[in-house]
Amino acid sequence: MLDSTFPEVRSLDLFADMSDESYAKLMRGAYLQTFPPHVDLITEGEEADFLHVLVLGSVDLFSSWNNRETSVSIVKPVSTFILAATIRDARYLMSARTMEKSRIVMIPSQDVREIFDLDAGFARAVVVELAACYRSVIKTTKNLKLRTALERLANYLLSRSKDHNGAQHFALDLEKRQLASVLGMTPENLSRAFKALQAYGVAVSGENVELSDITELEKFAKPTTLIDDNQT
Amino acid sequence: MLDSTFPEVRSLDLFADMSDESYAKLMRGAYLQTFPPHVDLITEGEEADFLHVLVLGSVDLFSSWNNRETSVSIVKPVSTFILAATIRDARYLMSARTMEKSRIVMIPSQDVREIFDLDAGFARAVVVELAACYRSVIKTTKNLKLRTALERLANYLLSRSKDHNGAQHFALDLEKRQLASVLGMTPENLSRAFKALQAYGVAVSGENVELSDITELEKFAKPTTLIDDNQT
DNA sequence: CGAGCTCTTGAGGTCATTCAACTCAAGTGG
DNA sequence: CCACTTGAGTTGAATGACCTCAAGAGCTCG
């Protein structure tokens, strides 16, 4: 049970535009829970009983088939996951595990659907969030189908650089094995790919990345807002 | 301009639950248009001025980067496309072209967003549709990252067989070059993949497919509802 | 019947994976 | 304090998957 004393949750885009009454109803059956690192939160194939909202930490959304596993996306605060399964009252398509200590709000799916019908502000927020998720996955698909692994890595680095205000030097926010999985390659191949990008001024040491010639790297990577941007 | 005399449109899932008044408003600025085959409808990067609803025919949603092109998905009636861009008032992430003669309803994006706020039934339908689109792309991503080209083809064939009530014999509904693009491979590789699947009872002649041993093919392809089903 | 397709086939190369060994850094426990 | 362990990351060699380029086969349609 969760009362309205969590301004960090109330002020999320998803909840900001709804009435106090609707918010109270939504939170009546909700939990705010803190999980240790490397804990399984959900398993693909299960029913989507709860909408999850990540408030703090980070979560890996991954999927398995035939003894293979791949990371579909990494969730950072503040965002929801498995919104689509909640809406459709369907089964999870991805599993989720915490990567670090994480704080998560869990809202019963049925309540989400109920309040959606009652509160137009919430409905609009859900749709906007969902549309953003959709566009993000489309970009992932384009990235996978139109680019080689090397190109994906180059664009990933440029994208992280942009996140740091275009800094030439920054730290990877993922373990390399994890990054490899997100980019759709093996850890070994990632290692070689980093070496191959030395030709474009990329130097990596541990988690530290140095892009000494961003212009040259961009000439190779050809980033585009239609694949690489996170917003819109 | 489109009056309410198109029951085929009015009865679409997306519009079925809305009031007559909202529907009338929505259709006030809408067009119902018929396009010849192989016509470009939209180009990625443009602003999403219209929501498109495919009533008849088929449409290819594709994307380009660096002189490469890939088919992201094929739209069959009755469904919408670029709903997410419409919602977010953003730019198209994909281009669209007709594959055959197609009838399409085009609704101004602004009207869609307006009516969304006014009509709860419509809002709910939009969200359900969008969630379905999202889940479908997630499945595409999993398919691409977890399976080899051969496995993707095998599962595609099983999926088409299911569409025909589990028939052993059916016709491909796509040109092979198009199918190759959807599956993320080259036409040449598709050709070879068909040959490789002969070992599992697959025979192809022109557009005709014969699956003489579905059990054996399934043992290889390992289909799962978490990747291969179209619904839920 | 020839023009223009798609589709197929072959040869060769590139990209990426597998498997195994090795490095390195960070604990752990004697 | 130092071996021992552990796990991530790297490197190498061999293999496999997939692509490119080029040419030929089979279709369809005027």
Side-chain angles (χ1 to χ4, degrees):
Chain A
M1 174 81 82
L2 184 66
D3 62 27
S4 343
T5 57
F6 288 98
E8 58 196 300
V9 176
R10 181 66 169 108
S11 63
L12 300 184
D13 276 356
L14 194 62
F15 305 124
D17 279 350
M18 66 196 303
S19 73
D20 288 335
E21 187 193 348
S22 299
Y23 182 72
K25 265 190 197 163
L26 195 59
M27 288 303 154
R28 195 168 300 158
Y31 296 86
L32 175 64
Q33 206 164 341
T34 302
F35 297 93
H38 307 294
V39 168
D40 283 349
L41 299 170
I42 59 180
T43 304
E44 55 183 319
E46 293 176 350
E47 287 180 13
D49 295 327
F50 292 91
L51 171 65
H52 294 235
V53 184
L54 179 65
V55 180
L56 202 85
S58 58
V59 169
D60 181 19
L61 297 183
F62 65 99
S63 187
S64 308
W65 178 81
N66 200 22
N67 288 323
R68 296 167 217 168
E69 180 181 310
T70 190
S71 208
V72 178
S73 75
I74 307 291
V75 181
K76 299 268 175 182
V78 178
S79 28
T80 62
F81 49 98
I82 32 189
L83 181 53
T86 293
I87 297 289
R88 291 195 68 91
D89 195 9
R91 293 172 182 277
Y92 298 128
L93 291 180
M94 297 178 280
S95 303
R97 70 166 78 95
T98 58
M99 296 171 59
E100 46 187 326
K101 187 178 166 187
S102 300
R103 193 180 302 173
I104 294 169
V105 182
M106 297 170 63
I107 309 170
S109 295
Q110 202 179 336
D111 295 348
V112 174
R113 291 192 293 272
E114 214 166 276
I115 310 297
F116 179 93
D117 286 332
L118 297 177
D119 192 300
F122 181 56
R124 166 160 267 292
V126 164
V127 143
V128 168
E129 163 89 6
L130 199 51
C133 292
Y134 173 78
R135 287 170 66 84
S136 163
V137 197
I138 289 286
K139 288 175 180 178
T140 301
T141 303
K142 291 169 64 176
N143 201 20
L144 284 170
K145 292 183 80 173
L146 290 168
R147 287 173 173 163
T148 66
L150 198 57
E151 289 163 346
R152 291 197 294 274
L153 176 59
N155 278 294
Y156 177 84
L157 294 177
L158 287 171
S159 189
R160 292 295 72 72
S161 167
K162 269 195 183 169
D163 290 349
H164 294 81
N165 297 314
Q168 295 200 345
H169 180 274
F170 55 89
L172 293 173
D173 55 347
L174 293 178
E175 286 183 4
K176 288 184 185 169
R177 55 194 344 273
Q178 189 95 42
L179 175 58
S181 185
V182 168
L183 293 177
M185 55 208 288
T186 57
E188 294 96 324
N189 198 28
L190 175 64
S191 199
R192 291 185 244 269
F194 271 126
K195 280 212 147 178
L197 288 181
Q198 282 178 3
Y200 303 96
V202 175
V204 183
S205 161
E207 59 172 15
N208 296 311
V209 178
E210 178 84 34
L211 307 182
S212 55
D213 191 345
I214 291 190
T215 312
E216 196 61 25
L217 187 58
E218 278 181 338
K219 250 172 64 186
F220 168 73
K222 298 182 172 54
T224 159
T225 54
L226 298 178
I227 302 184
D228 301 291
D229 268 16
N230 285 326
Q231 44 268 35
T232 70
Chain B
M1 172 80 85
L2 183 66
D3 63 24
S4 340
T5 58
F6 288 98
E8 58 196 300
V9 176
R10 181 64 169 111
S11 63
L12 299 184
D13 276 356
L14 195 61
F15 306 123
D17 279 350
M18 66 197 303
S19 73
D20 287 336
E21 185 193 350
S22 300
Y23 183 71
K25 265 190 198 160
L26 195 59
M27 288 303 155
R28 194 170 298 157
Y31 297 86
L32 176 64
Q33 206 162 342
T34 302
F35 296 93
H38 307 295
V39 168
D40 283 348
L41 299 170
I42 60 180
T43 304
E44 54 182 320
E46 292 176 351
E47 287 180 14
D49 297 326
F50 292 91
L51 172 65
H52 295 236
V53 185
L54 179 66
V55 180
L56 202 84
S58 57
V59 169
D60 181 19
L61 297 183
F62 65 101
S63 187
S64 308
W65 179 82
N66 200 23
N67 289 323
R68 298 167 214 167
E69 180 180 312
T70 189
S71 208
V72 178
S73 74
I74 307 290
V75 181
K76 300 269 175 181
V78 178
S79 28
T80 61
F81 51 99
I82 32 186
L83 181 53
T86 294
I87 296 290
R88 290 196 69 91
D89 195 11
R91 292 171 184 277
Y92 298 129
L93 291 180
M94 297 179 279
S95 303
R97 70 167 77 96
T98 58
M99 297 173 58
E100 47 188 325
K101 186 176 165 189
S102 300
R103 191 179 304 172
I104 293 169
V105 183
M106 296 168 63
I107 309 170
S109 295
Q110 202 179 337
D111 294 349
V112 173
R113 290 191 293 271
E114 212 166 277
I115 309 297
F116 178 94
D117 286 333
L118 297 177
D119 192 300
F122 181 56
R124 167 160 265 294
V126 165
V127 145
V128 168
E129 164 88 4
L130 200 52
C133 292
Y134 173 78
R135 288 171 66 84
S136 165
V137 198
I138 289 287
K139 287 175 181 179
T140 301
T141 303
K142 290 169 64 175
N143 202 21
L144 284 170
K145 292 184 79 174
L146 290 168
R147 287 174 174 160
T148 65
L150 198 58
E151 289 163 345
R152 291 197 293 275
L153 175 60
N155 279 293
Y156 177 83
L157 294 177
L158 287 171
S159 189
R160 292 295 72 72
S161 166
K162 268 195 184 170
D163 290 348
H164 294 81
N165 297 314
Q168 294 200 344
H169 180 274
F170 56 89
L172 293 173
D173 54 348
L174 294 177
E175 284 184 3
K176 288 182 187 168
R177 54 191 343 272
Q178 188 94 42
L179 175 57
S181 186
V182 169
L183 293 178
M185 56 208 285
T186 57
E188 295 96 324
N189 199 27
L190 175 63
S191 203
R192 291 184 245 267
F194 271 126
K195 279 211 149 179
L197 288 180
Q198 282 179 4
Y200 303 97
V202 175
V204 183
S205 162
E207 60 171 13
N208 296 310
V209 178
E210 178 85 32
L211 307 181
S212 55
D213 190 346
I214 292 191
T215 312
E216 196 61 25
L217 187 58
E218 279 181 337
K219 248 172 66 186
F220 168 73
K222 298 183 172 55
T224 158
T225 54
L226 299 178
I227 301 183
D228 301 292
D229 269 14
N230 283 326
Q231 46 266 36
T232 71

